[in-house]
Amino acid sequence: MAKLTQQIAVLERIDQLIRLKATGRPKQLAERLEVSEATVFRMIETMKELNAPICYDLTRQSYVYTETTNFKCGFYVEELDEISERNLSGGCGFGNMKRLLKF
């Protein structure tokens, strides 16, 4: 579990540096993140597989996003409206389910 947490932290840091257009060359990024250059390439490839629009900008000598994007990794609580709630519960709203469970 610690390895997964570490990998997520590295992905989040890479995302932050890409947004700042401040990754530098892959070797510099590896040194900054205290990982191998191969790890940097694997992480960038993983992000691309997750549909991140990443390319390397030769002029800036930095990885950049080619379009606006958001990266979120984790679990988030989301309030649902009544229609979404019904869709998730098979057509029965949570209020109705509570009443049914009280019989």
Side-chain angles (χ1 to χ4, degrees):
M1 186 65 135
K3 185 172 183 170
L4 177 60
T5 304
Q6 180 185 15
Q7 289 173 337
I8 290 170
V10 171
L11 283 174
E12 289 174 338
R13 183 69 176 134
I14 291 172
D15 172 63
Q16 180 184 38
L17 291 169
I18 290 172
R19 287 179 192 288
L20 295 171
K21 297 178 177 88
T23 64
R25 290 186 223 128
K27 184 175 182 176
Q28 294 169 317
L29 180 58
E31 290 170 358
R32 180 179 278 168
L33 299 173
E34 298 178 356
V35 298
S36 70
E37 199 170 345
T39 296
V40 166
F41 289 124
R42 278 194 305 273
M43 293 299 221
I44 294 293
E45 189 58 35
T46 297
M47 292 173 80
K48 287 180 179 181
E49 289 173 3
L50 294 169
N51 297 319
I54 299 173
C55 74
Y56 187 78
D57 185 325
L58 288 172
T59 306
R60 289 194 164 120
Q61 294 193 1
S62 177
Y63 288 99
V64 296
Y65 288 124
T66 58
E67 55 190 85
T68 303
T69 188
N70 288 319
F71 175 74
K72 289 184 181 182
C73 193
F75 296 94
Y76 301 91
V77 177
E78 179 181 340
E79 290 288 327
L80 299 177
D81 60 28
E82 192 173 332
I83 294 169
S84 298
E85 188 179 292
R86 279 191 203 142
N87 290 338
L88 287 172
S89 64
C92 187
F94 186 67
N96 291 338
M97 287 174 37
K98 281 177 33 178
R99 284 192 288 276
L100 289 171
L101 294 173
K102 286 185 179 180
F103 60 88

